[in-house]
Amino acid sequence: MRPAKFLALFLALLTAPLLAEGDFQPAVQPGGDIPQPSTPTASPSLSPVQRPTAAQLQFIRREAMIPMRDGAKLYTVLIVPKGAGRFPIMLDRTPYSADLATGEGRQGSLPENLLSPLNAELFRAGYILAIQDVRGKYKSEGEYVMNRPLRGRLNLTAVDHSTDAWDTIDWLVRNLPESNGRVGSFGTSYDGFTALMSLVNPHPALRASVPINPMVDVWKGDDWFHNGAFRQEMIGYVYGQTANRRSEAEWFKTSSDDYATFLRYGSAGAYGRAMGVDRLPFWRRLTQHPDYDEYWQDQAVDRILAARPLAVPTLIIGSQWDQEDIYGATALFGALKSSANAHFALGPWFHGQVNSTAVSLGPLFWGTDTARSFRQQVLIPFLNEHLKGGLPAGTPRVIAFEAGSNHWQRLDDWPLACARGCLVNLTPVFPAHKGRADFVRPEKLASDWYISDPARPVPYRKRPDLQPYGPNSSWPVWLVDDQRFAGSRPDVLSYSTTPLALPIHLAGTPLVHLVASTTGTDSDWVVKLIDVYPDNAGRRDLAGYELPIAMNVMRGRYRADAAHPTPLQPNAALTYEFALPQVDYVVQPGHRLMVQVQSSWFPLYDRNPQTFVPNIFFAKRSDYRSATQRVFTGPGGTWIGLPIVH
């Protein structure tokens, strides 16, 4: 960041008012989430214009400032097929720049040169693309609020993403002569969230929606928290999104290892203060709401959409190894599947990989481009049926990629196996004393222990830990990292079965039933389900590889009530039940199943001080204390419920 730009930003942050810790305020405040003064933006034309670029050999690019009901105008780029005809519109509302998404500044005469593979294929299939900057970002007017809540207690204004989507669709079908009058909403991650907002009060012209890896419940298991543990690696994202309108502010790159950097500053709140992030309104809201209170409950999109009939055919797309929003898609389908309009797809992808190329994921090779085949054979036929009035596409209720055997399955329901309400009950695997695991419960009660030291937390990946969006980062594939780096530590317990004689197909929701004690008054528990490759694996790089199937974290203070944390009773054997992310995976014969248990996952998640404090964001250095952790096995002890189907 240039010195002048940094100084202007720093002065803007210093002038922003602070709230007292614990104050509850609506999420939408005057000025929005971007401190003023913000980076000035050039005023685009208020009417659609055609640019004489080489890309016009293939399509017409127009820009429009679309008026909203409160008078704000939102910048929208339109990519329109050349030639006669009327086409449906695919609307993507984004905080990441409509210009960037439509290839502004890039060279080439083909859509494939300028657009993502998904967007290029939609254009080739005869769709108009409408990519819009959400209010307050880049060239759109108005105030930006991170995940702007719906109108109500948290948003006392007259506008939200639902009204903005309605007003945009209404303008498009009335003012775009090439439109056939039908619109689909789509987008990935935050854009998946805005696509879901279009379903709250859908415009009559909205006939289909494709939310991809959407942000749904950011406390339970998407961007900001997982079961109460704060994802502090997202601090850089918060800064980049809300420091200024154009997201031009660079994150602080003072270290090549986030592990060392975060450890140096202590708590996530202390780090935020040191870097000036505590001057950003959204960061203050995060730190004021560490619990699953009404603030987060009222914003959970699965709850919002389940409260009314789903009127629009919707294809929800999830990724089995989604490193950012692994919870949202599956939770959303679970909430909406009573509606015939809800469809679900689960692919073998990282976050957003369905938009591009997906022949492989880390060390895993699928044998074909699973993303392209899905787009061509499922996604576009689904849209054609609902937006072009084509023949029924036969879109399955559920389509899931069975990793391991590497093929797609068309299913009537999902998940196939889970703890309650599924076709198949869970099959328990039991950790046993001294590193063993078996499908038969041990006869004797036993326990294993380790010391969890906050001064030496377990890293979530092999160091150095590069910043998620920094140079040379492999952030998209960390969920398939070899876990041997963790298993070698004395503060990680590993339990593995003998080599399997037959394949095991896991299709659904693994459930952790952990019985454990701590000498502290608070604790985190991280549980991993791992496929251990044999030493004679066909590929040398996979010999002995410990591939994560599903992993998650539980913050102990929330074991009884997510909204009201309570201290843990020291040295008491307590039960913690929580779900691992949903999977569709085949463990092959000769492989072993492994369960790992640990009490930190750093710096992906902030450290638990292991001393109960009112708000971990503001824990003091003296609050961080070592604790002896004990995991109980045998009768009444720990087990992992596996979603095994035959």
Side-chain angles (χ1 to χ4, degrees), residues 86-89 169 173 176 178-183 204-207:
R86 293 185 178 272
F87 311 98
I89 302 168
I169 293 170
V173 296
L176 198 57
E178 296 90 347
S179 164
N180 72 352
R182 298 185 178 189
V183 178
L206 183 67
R207 303 296 183 86

Side-chain angles (χ1 to χ4, degrees), residues 107-154:
Q107 299 296 317
S109 60
L110 302 175
E112 288 79 8
N113 300 135
L114 306 174
L115 307 174
S116 72
L118 169 59
N119 286 359
E121 289 171 11
L122 288 173
F123 171 82
R124 294 289 189 191
Y127 287 87
I128 298 168
L129 297 174
I131 315 298
Q132 182 180 79
D133 290 337
V134 298
R135 66 170 55 232
K137 290 299 290 184
Y138 292 91
K139 294 181 178 179
S140 282
E141 299 174 354
E143 296 173 347
Y144 176 70
V145 175
M146 180 80 80
N147 297 115
R148 177 183 284 264
L150 293 173
R151 294 170 294 169
R153 191 169 74 98
L154 295 174

Side-chain angles (χ1 to χ4, degrees), residues 59-62 77-81 102 115 123 127-130:
F59 58 80
I60 299 169
R61 175 191 171 103
R62 298 195 186 117
V77 177
L78 303 168
I79 305 297
V80 183
T102 52
L115 307 174
F123 171 82
Y127 287 87
I128 298 168
L129 297 174

Side-chain angles (χ1 to χ4, degrees), residues 34-223:
I34 297 175
Q36 302 297 325
S38 183
T39 304
T41 60
S43 297
S45 170
L46 299 183
S47 60
V49 297
Q50 183 173 331
R51 292 191 176 188
T53 66
Q56 289 180 338
L57 295 173
Q58 295 289 327
F59 58 80
I60 299 169
R61 175 191 171 103
R62 298 195 186 117
E63 298 172 2
M65 293 297 288
I66 299 179
M68 301 293 106
R69 64 191 62 185
D70 66 337
K73 296 182 176 65
L74 304 190
Y75 176 73
T76 308
V77 177
L78 303 168
I79 305 297
V80 183
K82 293 187 69 173
R86 293 185 178 272
F87 311 98
I89 302 168
M90 290 301 295
L91 172 64
D92 181 357
R93 306 188 60 254
T94 182
Y96 303 126
S97 174
D99 280 340
L100 289 177
T102 52
E104 188 77 344
R106 293 197 291 269
Q107 299 296 317
S109 60
L110 302 175
E112 288 79 8
N113 300 135
L114 306 174
L115 307 174
S116 72
L118 169 59
N119 286 359
E121 289 171 11
L122 288 173
F123 171 82
R124 294 289 189 191
Y127 287 87
I128 298 168
L129 297 174
I131 315 298
Q132 182 180 79
D133 290 337
V134 298
R135 66 170 55 232
K137 290 299 290 184
Y138 292 91
K139 294 181 178 179
S140 282
E141 299 174 354
E143 296 173 347
Y144 176 70
V145 175
M146 180 80 80
N147 297 115
R148 177 183 284 264
L150 293 173
R151 294 170 294 169
R153 191 169 74 98
L154 295 174
N155 177 4
L156 303 179
T157 74
V159 295
D160 54 33
H161 284 300
S162 174
T163 64
D164 285 351
W166 203 101
D167 294 348
T168 298
I169 293 170
D170 194 65
W171 189 94
L172 289 171
V173 296
R174 292 177 184 273
N175 292 278
L176 198 57
E178 296 90 347
S179 164
N180 72 352
R182 298 185 178 189
V183 178
S185 60
F186 78 117
T188 301
S189 193
Y190 196 117
D191 302 25
F193 160 75
T194 61
L196 293 176
M197 290 293 96
S198 73
L199 300 174
V200 173
N201 179 31
H203 191 282
L206 183 67
R207 303 296 183 86
S209 184
V210 182
I212 302 168
N213 304 136
M215 302 168 72
V216 171
D217 191 319
V218 292
W219 193 93
K220 283 190 173 180
D222 286 330
D223 282 284

Side-chain angles (χ1 to χ4, degrees), residues 35 40 50 60 64 67 89 110 166 181 184 211 216 330 332 380 388 422 481 527 548 582 611:
Q50 183 173 331
I60 299 169
I89 302 168
L110 302 175
W166 203 101
V216 171
T330 55
L332 186 67
I380 290 178
K388 294 185 175 183
C422 295
D481 280 356
V527 176
Q582 294 184 11
T611 303

Side-chain angles (χ1 to χ4, degrees), residues 188-379:
T188 301
S189 193
Y190 196 117
D191 302 25
F193 160 75
T194 61
L196 293 176
M197 290 293 96
S198 73
L199 300 174
V200 173
N201 179 31
H203 191 282
L206 183 67
R207 303 296 183 86
S209 184
V210 182
I212 302 168
N213 304 136
M215 302 168 72
V216 171
D217 191 319
V218 292
W219 193 93
K220 283 190 173 180
D222 286 330
D223 282 284
W224 313 131
F225 300 86
H226 276 220
N227 293 320
F230 174 61
R231 301 196 105 200
Q232 67 177 5
E233 282 279 36
M234 299 304 293
I235 295 178
Y237 174 85
V238 172
Y239 179 85
Q241 277 296 102
T242 64
N244 65 32
R245 178 179 291 264
R246 288 181 174 270
S247 296
E248 293 170 325
E250 299 178 13
W251 185 232
F252 308 98
K253 298 177 180 178
T254 58
S255 171
S256 60
D257 185 359
D258 269 4
Y259 184 100
T261 301
F262 280 105
L263 196 60
R264 181 183 311 123
Y265 286 97
S267 69
Y271 184 61
R273 285 194 298 271
M275 297 302 182
V277 184
D278 62 336
R279 302 287 176 169
L280 299 174
F282 179 69
W283 174 252
R284 295 201 299 272
R285 293 202 300 277
L286 272 178
T287 60
Q288 291 157 9
H289 296 282
D291 312 323
Y292 195 55
D293 56 16
E294 292 181 356
Y295 176 84
W296 297 117
Q297 294 175 30
D298 289 354
Q299 296 184 68
V301 183
D302 52 344
R303 290 186 178 205
I304 292 169
L305 291 180
R308 64 201 75 192
L310 182 64
V312 177
T314 301
L315 177 58
I316 304 162
I317 299 177
S319 299
Q320 183 168 333
W321 286 280
D322 186 331
Q323 78 281 5
E324 295 180 19
D325 294 308
I326 201 167
Y327 176 86
T330 55
L332 186 67
F333 180 69
L336 300 181
K337 67 180 181 179
S338 61
S339 169
N341 279 325
H343 302 265
F344 177 61
L346 183 65
W349 307 312
F350 58 70
H351 187 74
Q353 194 179 12
V354 70
N355 293 288
S356 55
T357 301
V359 179
S360 63
L361 179 70
L364 303 176
F365 290 88
W366 311 125
T368 185
D369 188 341
T370 57
R372 187 176 189 278
S373 63
F374 173 81
R375 296 192 301 264
Q376 294 293 327
Q377 298 171 25
V378 179
L379 192 156

Side-chain angles (χ1 to χ4, degrees), residues 480-540:
V480 292
D481 280 356
D482 190 341
Q483 296 299 298
R484 281 179 286 192
F485 77 93
S488 63
R489 290 179 57 111
D491 50 359
V492 177
L493 298 178
S494 298
Y495 303 92
S496 61
T497 66
T498 58
L500 302 178
L502 298 172
I504 292 179
H505 180 199
L506 307 174
T509 312
L511 178 70
V512 173
H513 181 95
L514 176 70
V515 181
S517 69
T518 177
T519 57
T521 51
D522 198 1
S523 178
D524 283 356
W525 301 101
V526 178
V527 176
K528 309 173 187 176
L529 181 63
I530 296 168
D531 177 2
V532 182
Y533 278 67
D535 290 335
N536 61 349
R539 286 168 43 195
R540 182 177 299 176

